[in-house]
């Protein structure tokens, strides 16, 4: 019995369907009959573009009485693709040109409102999906019934996140405003936001994390996020001149809410930063990609993921967890919460108050009644 295993791998930053087997000339020649299946020297195997259709073609092509085809690793992809296909069955495949043009005008209108690039792209995306849905249903765009139906079919049934639902409501509300319709007449309540406490890394865990990072650039980036309490977007937008080593401050320009602020420049971090600067010599941005320009968010996430794995930390920490940890550790050391609010760039002290729920000293002060029983 000849065994063939279908798996997923990456080639040129794209997921591909890989066909692995112990060398067999019969299988090799049989695979060559498929037009879209080719040999890769890098993967040392045959592969094709990853899609449900290609998976079906390859699987059926390899079905022979004395061959077995395993695809267990592909099951999560198959399940996800089926859910995606079912969800997109509510949408037309392609927007008519007149609506594409309308969305471009809507996009310009949003930029004129001085919304951020990410917000504009999100609003345009959700509006595009909403229009595709309403066109498939062949109904009026600006009615409460179609908004409610879309919310149910495209958000509730596939169990989209609360944040996505809020983005949808905000995006459609702006589209209605752009077209001169009153969204308020359509009564769709925003879902309550989940109140989750942030994931905090202890001082010991932070130290262990940094000790596993040997790449100077990666260490400098993670150290900056923690030592200055920055959002990843703020860190990768930093320019060299934003570092004020004379006043030991970092100038954050036009951050969330289009606000400037200053935050701390750690003396210990300055040593790491100087070594990094000498080694990498960035030209404009403090952290730049291999081909210049800003360092990517995705690359930064991979850096943290690898560091967490090597340090043995099992908490589901993210880059934002370093910012959360900075704020919590400051609070635990007795820093006034109003100063922490300024350093983080929070508009309201209520946002900063969340860290009072996760500080160790405040919890340790509470005497557990169970201890009085013994």
């Amino acid at each position: 019995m000849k065994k063939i295993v279908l798996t997923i791998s990456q080639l040129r930053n794209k997921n591909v369907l890989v066909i692995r087997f112990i060398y067999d000339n019969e299988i090799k020649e049989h695979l060559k009959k498929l037009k879209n299946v080719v040999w890769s020297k890098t993967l040392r195997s045959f592969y094709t573009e990853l899609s449900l259709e290609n998976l079906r073609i390859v699987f059926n092509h390899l079905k022979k009485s004395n061959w077995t085809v395993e695809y267990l690793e592909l099951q999560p992809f198959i399940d996800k693709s089926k859910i995606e296909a079912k969800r997109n069955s509510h949408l037309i495949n392609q927007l008519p040109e007149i609506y594409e043009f309308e969305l471009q005008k809507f996009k310009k209108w949003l930029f004129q409102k001085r919304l951020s690039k990410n917000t504009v792209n999100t609003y345009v995306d959700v509006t595009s999906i909403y229009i595709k849905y309403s066109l498939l249903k062949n109904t009026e765009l600006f009615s409460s019934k179609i908004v409610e139906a879309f919310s149910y079919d495209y958000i509730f049934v596939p169990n989209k996140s609360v944040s996505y639902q809020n983005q949808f409501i905000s995006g459609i509300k702006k589209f209605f405003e752009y077209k001169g319709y009153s969204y308020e007449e359509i009564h769709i309540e925003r879902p309550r936001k989940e109140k989750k406490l942030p994931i905090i890394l202890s001082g010991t865990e932070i130290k262990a994390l940094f000790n596993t990072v040997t790449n100077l650039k990666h260490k400098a980036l993670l150290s900056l996020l923690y030592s200055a309490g920055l959002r990843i977007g703020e860190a990768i937008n930093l320019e060299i001149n934003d570092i004020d080593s004379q006043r030991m401050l970092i100038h954050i320009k036009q951050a969330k809410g289009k606000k400037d602020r200053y935050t701390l420049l750690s003396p210990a971090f300055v040593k790491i930063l100087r070594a990094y600067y000498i080694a990498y010599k960035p030209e404009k941005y403090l952290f730049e990609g291999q081909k210049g320009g800003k360092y990517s968010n995705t690359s930064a996430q991979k850096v943290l993921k690898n560091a967490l794995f090597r340090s043995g930390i099992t908490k589901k920490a993210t880059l934002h967890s370093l910012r959360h940890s900075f704020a919590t550790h400051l609070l635990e050391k007795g820093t006034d919460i109003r100063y922490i609010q300024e350093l983080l760039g929070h508009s309201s002290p209520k946002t900063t108050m969340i860290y009072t729920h996760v500080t160790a000293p405040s919890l340790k002060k509470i005497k557990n009644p169970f201890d009085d029983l013994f």
Side-chain angles (χ1 to χ4, degrees):
M1 186 72 76
K2 297 178 181 181
K3 180 180 175 182
I4 303 158
V5 180
L6 304 181
T7 64
I8 296 175
S9 189
Q10 275 215 328
L11 187 66
R12 303 183 195 94
N13 296 321
K14 288 181 67 177
N15 286 330
V16 292
L17 173 62
V18 177
I19 307 154
R20 298 193 186 281
F21 54 92
I22 296 172
Y23 181 80
D24 184 285
N25 195 58
E26 184 185 4
I27 297 175
K28 174 185 168 184
E29 293 303 319
H30 190 59
L31 279 172
K32 284 183 178 181
K33 295 175 184 178
L34 290 175
K35 290 181 181 179
N36 295 329
V37 173
V38 293
W39 174 262
S40 166
K41 289 183 179 179
T42 305
L43 298 172
R44 297 189 63 79
S45 62
F46 286 94
Y47 78 96
T48 186
E49 183 181 341
L50 181 63
S51 71
L52 273 182
E53 179 62 16
N54 282 344
L55 174 58
R56 183 189 64 79
I57 292 170
V58 170
F59 183 80
N60 288 334
H61 187 69
L62 294 173
K63 276 201 304 185
K64 287 199 172 189
S65 58
N66 62 332
W67 293 7
T68 62
V69 183
E70 291 186 6
Y71 57 93
L72 189 62
E73 190 180 316
L74 284 160
Q75 197 58 53
F77 164 75
I78 295 168
D79 294 340
K80 185 179 178 182
S81 297
K82 285 180 178 178
I83 293 170
E84 191 74 20
K86 186 177 180 180
R87 189 185 72 190
N88 287 334
S89 65
H90 298 301
L91 311 176
I92 63 171
N93 292 326
Q94 183 67 42
L95 272 179
E97 191 174 333
I98 187 171
Y99 289 102
E100 291 282 8
F101 181 67
E102 192 67 47
L103 283 174
Q104 288 305 312
K105 290 200 297 182
F106 176 49
K107 189 173 187 177
K108 290 178 182 177
W109 182 83
L110 289 171
F111 275 124
Q112 288 171 358
K113 294 286 182 182
R114 298 302 179 103
L115 299 178
S116 72
K117 184 179 179 180
N118 285 341
T119 301
V120 169
N121 288 337
T122 299
Y123 286 0
V124 171
D125 284 344
V126 297
T127 303
S128 172
I129 293 168
Y130 170 71
I131 294 173
K132 285 180 179 180
Y133 178 87
S134 62
L135 289 177
L136 185 67
K137 297 290 184 182
N138 194 27
T139 187
E140 171 62 39
L141 270 177
F142 307 99
S143 69
S144 58
K145 286 186 178 180
I146 193 64
V147 174
E148 288 167 356
F150 178 85
S151 183
Y152 180 81
D153 286 336
Y154 202 81
I155 297 175
F156 177 75
V157 173
N159 197 25
K160 290 276 193 174
S161 67
V162 169
S163 61
Y164 183 88
Q165 188 170 352
N166 276 316
Q167 286 175 342
F168 158 69
I169 292 172
S170 298
I172 300 304
K173 185 175 181 180
K174 282 293 183 187
F175 184 63
F176 275 43
E177 181 186 339
Y178 160 71
K179 295 298 290 182
Y181 289 85
S182 176
Y183 185 88
E184 278 63 32
E185 294 175 7
I186 298 174
H187 303 291
I188 293 188
E189 295 183 10
R190 289 182 182 271
R192 291 185 179 180
K193 288 184 178 180
E194 299 168 322
K195 293 183 178 179
K196 292 184 178 180
L197 292 176
I199 293 173
I200 307 298
L201 299 176
S202 68
T204 304
E205 287 172 324
I206 291 286
K207 190 172 182 179
L209 187 76
F210 291 157
N211 284 342
T212 63
V213 183
T214 54
N215 183 290
L216 192 53
K217 184 177 186 177
H218 297 168
K219 178 172 282 192
L221 177 61
L222 295 183
S223 298
L224 173 66
L225 292 172
Y226 172 69
S227 67
L230 300 187
R231 302 175 179 96
I232 181 58
E234 294 168 349
I236 60 182
N237 281 327
L238 275 181
E239 297 184 8
I240 297 165
N241 293 333
D242 295 331
I243 305 295
D244 189 343
S245 56
Q246 295 296 317
R247 298 167 63 207
M248 295 303 288
L249 295 171
I250 301 173
H251 189 188
I252 313 300
K253 297 174 183 174
Q254 295 295 286
K256 191 174 181 180
K258 297 193 178 296
K259 294 180 297 184
D260 284 13
R261 75 177 190 279
Y262 283 98
T263 189
L264 305 176
L265 177 60
S266 158
F269 171 66
V270 169
K271 294 179 182 177
I272 298 172
L273 185 61
R274 283 175 177 159
Y276 156 72
Y277 185 82
I278 292 169
Y280 284 85
K281 296 179 176 61
E283 295 181 4
K284 180 181 178 182
Y285 295 101
L286 192 61
F287 295 99
E288 297 178 339
Q290 292 182 350
K291 297 180 181 179
K294 297 177 188 176
Y295 197 66
S296 76
N297 192 325
T298 306
S299 296
Q301 289 172 359
K302 287 180 181 177
V303 168
L304 178 66
K305 185 179 179 180
N306 291 336
L308 288 168
F309 177 76
R310 288 196 296 268
S311 58
I313 297 172
T314 55
K315 289 179 181 177
K316 293 182 179 179
T318 63
L319 293 169
H320 214 66
S321 299
L322 297 176
R323 173 176 161 90
H324 290 320
S325 302
F326 166 79
T328 304
H329 296 164
L330 282 179
L331 200 58
E332 288 177 345
K333 292 179 184 298
T335 308
D336 192 300
I337 199 162
R338 290 171 298 179
Y339 295 139
I340 299 174
Q341 179 191 342
E342 289 296 324
L343 292 172
L344 295 179
H346 287 161
S347 299
S348 168
K350 289 181 181 179
T351 309
T352 319
M353 286 295 288
I354 191 173
Y355 299 111
T356 61
H357 298 293
V358 289
T359 53
S362 59
L363 296 176
K364 286 178 181 177
K365 288 178 184 177
I366 303 171
K367 184 170 176 61
N368 195 313
F370 183 78
D371 296 334
D372 295 330
L373 303 178
F374 302 93

